[in-house]
Amino acid sequence: MKDNAVLSILMPVIIVPGLLFKAVTLNKYYWLLLSLFSAIPYLILDLVGYVPNHKHIFAYVILAVTIILFLSKEEDILENLRHQSKYIIGLCFLFAVAGKFLAPEFMDGRFFEFTNTADPRFYGFTSFIADVDPLALKANETNIENLMSTTNPNTVFTLNGAQNLHSIGLMISYWTIFIEGMIAISFCLPGSFLLSKYRNIFLIAFVLTTYPIATVYGFAIILTTLGFIQSTTKKNQLTKYSLFYLIVFIFLPLIKIPFIRVLSSIF
């Protein structure tokens, strides 16, 4: 916890100069410093204990940018960034799909039965789509908190609403595997393949069907940033896809507003 607090103080101090000064932003040694403060804590020493997946991706992205700045000619930097962004997205979803096939609870729908009835972010969606009393879902949250704080291994409780979600859980599981699989394939394939040309459609479908329900802010920020970079043209012009990612990126901070979070949980 102490190490995490130190990182929380140091990282903004390091990042702010890069936001204010273009010369700092493009300096390869500045990115090397960023790499040290992201890769070492998050990927090597695990100083912060539990590290969310999006922070691992964040560290890999910084490493990729650093390597590109050191090994690329100035005129090739943006093109190489586009390629790196494309393949980072593809590999991220490839491993995500592989992990789901290795998890029996995901393949039979139990993962979403539990998540949608135990995670407060999904209570609005679950109560609406599966006709579950929000108070019963709130009771799940209380029971889980009590279970985690007890040392009694015999403490059990019934997960309210899970029985209403079996069919829905399976559908969500199959949709997730399908859309993440299509993203993985289309982003990992070279651009000359026809399927690769539809990669942004698959990614946008994922964004539109995921983040209005699951407000995973950290991963959404990284995904839209990478999506924006890889969807610009070789002449560094915006496309309709990059404009979409840019708009989503700009409005993502709104989910931090309590009123907006309540609306997103309902709709």
Side-chain angles (χ1 to χ4, degrees):
M1 184 65 68
K2 182 179 179 181
D3 294 317
N4 193 14
V6 172
L7 285 172
S8 299
I9 296 172
L10 284 178
M11 284 303 288
V13 172
I14 297 172
I15 290 173
V16 167
L19 297 175
L20 297 178
F21 306 104
K22 183 178 180 180
V24 177
T25 306
L26 300 177
N27 188 288
K28 59 187 178 182
Y29 296 104
Y30 171 72
W31 281 91
L32 179 61
L33 181 65
L34 287 177
S35 294
L36 292 175
F37 276 89
S38 58
I40 292 177
Y42 296 139
L43 302 180
I44 300 175
L45 298 181
D46 196 23
L47 293 180
V48 295
Y50 168 71
V51 180
N53 291 336
H54 69 266
K55 289 193 176 182
H56 283 102
I57 302 170
F58 173 74
Y60 287 126
V61 170
I62 291 179
L63 280 173
V65 174
T66 304
I67 293 171
I68 287 172
L69 289 175
F70 271 92
L71 300 182
S72 300
K73 297 179 181 179
E74 185 174 350
E75 62 270 20
D76 297 330
I77 288 176
L78 290 177
E79 182 63 18
N80 289 338
L81 281 174
R82 275 189 284 271
H83 282 291
Q84 288 293 328
S85 298
K86 175 177 176 289
Y87 288 114
I88 288 174
I89 292 173
L91 289 172
C92 174
F93 280 93
L94 180 64
F95 286 117
V97 172
K100 290 175 175 59
F101 275 112
L102 295 173
E105 66 275 11
F106 196 95
M107 299 303 297
D108 62 15
R110 284 180 294 158
F111 172 81
F112 283 109
E113 289 179 28
F114 175 81
T115 302
N116 285 24
T117 54
D119 190 329
R121 294 175 300 176
F122 299 95
Y123 287 173
F125 171 79
T126 301
S127 62
F128 173 76
I129 203 73
D131 192 27
V132 180
D133 186 347
L135 294 178
L137 298 174
K138 186 66 178 177
N140 288 339
E141 183 180 4
T142 302
N143 289 333
I144 290 174
E145 289 176 354
N146 293 337
L147 182 63
M148 294 177 66
S149 62
T150 184
T151 57
N152 182 5
N154 296 319
T155 301
V156 296
F157 66 90
T158 300
L159 199 61
N160 299 319
Q163 64 278 8
N164 295 25
L165 281 172
H166 181 67
S167 297
I168 297 172
L170 282 174
M171 287 190 293
I172 297 175
S173 295
Y174 296 154
W175 165 254
T176 301
I177 290 174
F178 168 76
I179 194 62
E180 290 189 357
M182 295 308 294
I183 293 171
I185 295 170
S186 60
F187 273 82
C188 286
L189 284 174
S192 57
F193 283 75
L194 179 62
L195 192 60
S196 177
K197 302 184 187 305
Y198 296 97
R199 63 184 184 273
N200 287 296
I201 295 176
F202 294 129
L203 184 57
I204 289 172
F206 173 82
V207 170
L208 292 178
T209 58
T210 301
Y211 293 122
I213 300 170
T215 53
V216 188
Y217 182 75
F219 187 65
I221 285 286
I222 297 172
L223 191 59
T224 52
T225 301
L226 294 173
F228 173 82
I229 295 171
Q230 61 82 37
S231 62
T232 56
T233 68
K234 291 184 178 181
K235 295 182 179 180
N236 303 323
Q237 296 174 330
L238 299 181
T239 64
K240 59 185 178 182
Y241 300 120
S242 54
L243 283 173
F244 171 83
Y245 298 126
L246 181 60
I247 291 171
V248 173
F249 180 88
I250 291 172
F251 285 99
L252 271 172
L254 292 179
I255 66 175
K256 292 292 185 179
I257 302 174
F259 175 71
I260 301 296
R261 297 191 71 171
V262 170
L263 286 180
S264 67
S265 70
I266 295 175
F267 300 105

